[in-house]
Amino acid sequence: MRTTSLRVLGPRDVEAALALVDRDPVANVFVGARVHAAGLDTWRLGAEVWGHVVDGELDALCYAGANLVPVEAGPEAVRAFAERAKRLGRRCSSIVGPREAVEPLWALLEPDWGPARDVRRDQPLLSISTPPLVDPDPDVRLVRPTELDVLLPACIDMFTEEVGVSPLAGDGGALYRARVAELIAAGRAMARIEDRRVVFKAEVGAAVPGACQVQGVWVDPELRGRGHSVAGMAAVVELALADIAPVVSLYVNDYNTPARRAYERVGFRQVGTFMSVLF
């Protein structure tokens, strides 16, 4: 007889959780980065991590914070996560992760949590582990801490354009500003800046020993169509491979044809499919 249970993971589960997320460092980098950095202390994470346990072994987990993110979750784990999420009520602003887990999870949650503001069912997950196929932009560099106020407006514009809501809502942007400052301080914010104007920018939002994930790719709208995204991303890949992780990844909306073409020219290849549900 198989025995299954669901419980909130704690510090004694860190080793098992890391083994689970490290099965696929590219797909699991968001949760993996948080567990590597903060362990499974709920207060430090700002989230719970639910563990699906089968015969005493951790089989899957789900990060439950501002985002709901299933990891290595099969059908049985998805049902267990959905039951707990329904009991607790929606506390997250999105559900995101591999489509094979997010799609059935959302099907179970939608009657209680729906409707969503947006459902993005097809988000190609891309990665590259070799030098870019095109020359990098030599003017793309790490953003300096003194340039926070230069970079921040571009980050706000990117977030609003991509997510559909402003990151300034609620607390006036204090948390978002702190997050951007944190990425700059960690050497994970890269940009081409000319006369205090951001031409191109991107950040490495999450990293584990095996992979990192790029987010926030943005080109000044007045300068789009001039190749800044291709050369800029080539520079980001070069910098990240040299100093952060051996694999660089990102996920993109399927309908964003210009971005997908740019990433393909740089050398990114699809390794999976993500899905996001936005509230």
Side-chain angles (χ1 to χ4, degrees):
M1 293 286 293
R2 294 171 77 248
T3 61
T4 64
S5 62
L6 185 71
R7 59 181 175 83
V8 177
L9 300 182
R12 66 188 175 91
D13 302 301
V14 169
E15 184 177 350
L18 287 175
L20 194 69
V21 297
D22 288 346
R23 288 181 189 174
D24 188 344
V26 171
N28 300 330
V29 65
F30 175 85
V31 176
R34 282 150 179 79
V35 178
H36 273 280
L40 289 169
D41 182 281
T42 299
W43 185 85
R44 291 183 64 202
L45 279 173
E48 289 184 343
V49 178
W50 308 335
H52 184 251
V53 180
V54 178
D55 293 335
E57 300 292 331
L58 186 63
D59 172 69
L61 58 82
C62 186
Y63 179 94
N67 308 295
L68 193 68
V69 188
V71 173
E72 300 294 313
E76 188 177 34
V78 165
R79 286 193 295 272
F81 295 149
E83 288 173 7
R84 181 174 178 85
K86 283 192 285 188
R87 286 198 306 271
L88 295 175
R90 184 175 70 82
R91 303 175 179 180
C92 59
S93 60
S94 70
I95 308 171
V96 61
R99 186 171 66 186
E100 60 265 26
V102 172
E103 192 163 45
L105 181 60
W106 176 233
L108 293 168
L109 290 174
E110 186 175 11
D112 294 86
W113 285 15
R117 180 170 57 84
D118 193 9
V119 177
R120 302 176 182 181
R121 298 184 183 276
D122 188 358
Q123 296 177 303
L125 175 65
L126 313 177
S127 75
I128 182 171
S129 58
T130 57
L133 300 179
V134 297
D135 291 334
D137 183 343
D139 293 322
V140 170
R141 56 171 174 80
L142 298 182
V143 179
R144 305 181 187 102
T146 56
E147 295 173 314
L148 171 60
D149 288 330
V150 176
L151 183 66
L152 188 60
C155 293
I156 293 169
D157 287 349
M158 177 284 308
F159 188 100
T160 305
E161 181 180 341
E162 171 65 20
V163 180
V165 296
S166 171
L168 305 181
D171 65 353
L175 283 175
Y176 189 70
R177 179 185 178 89
R179 175 58 176 161
V180 175
E182 178 185 20
L183 291 172
I184 293 174
R188 294 184 182 177
M190 303 150 192
R192 175 172 178 163
I193 299 173
E194 298 177 353
D195 297 324
R196 297 182 64 80
R197 177 186 187 183
V198 176
V199 174
F200 164 90
K201 68 99 186 166
E203 298 85 45
V204 173
V208 294
C212 65
Q213 187 176 88
V214 175
Q215 65 177 34
V217 181
W218 183 87
V219 175
D220 186 317
E222 295 181 1
L223 301 175
R224 293 175 184 175
R226 304 185 188 184
H228 288 299
S229 62
V230 175
M233 278 304 301
V236 169
V237 167
E238 194 171 68
L239 290 166
L241 289 177
D243 295 323
I244 300 176
V247 180
V248 181
S249 71
L250 55 82
Y251 61 98
V252 60
N253 293 315
D254 65 319
Y255 52 78
N256 192 345
T257 302
R260 294 183 65 180
R261 288 175 178 167
Y263 300 144
E264 184 176 1
R265 287 180 60 191
V266 172
F268 282 91
R269 296 294 178 263
Q270 185 166 356
V271 294
T273 302
F274 266 28
M275 174 175 166
S276 297
V277 180
L278 308 179
F279 300 105

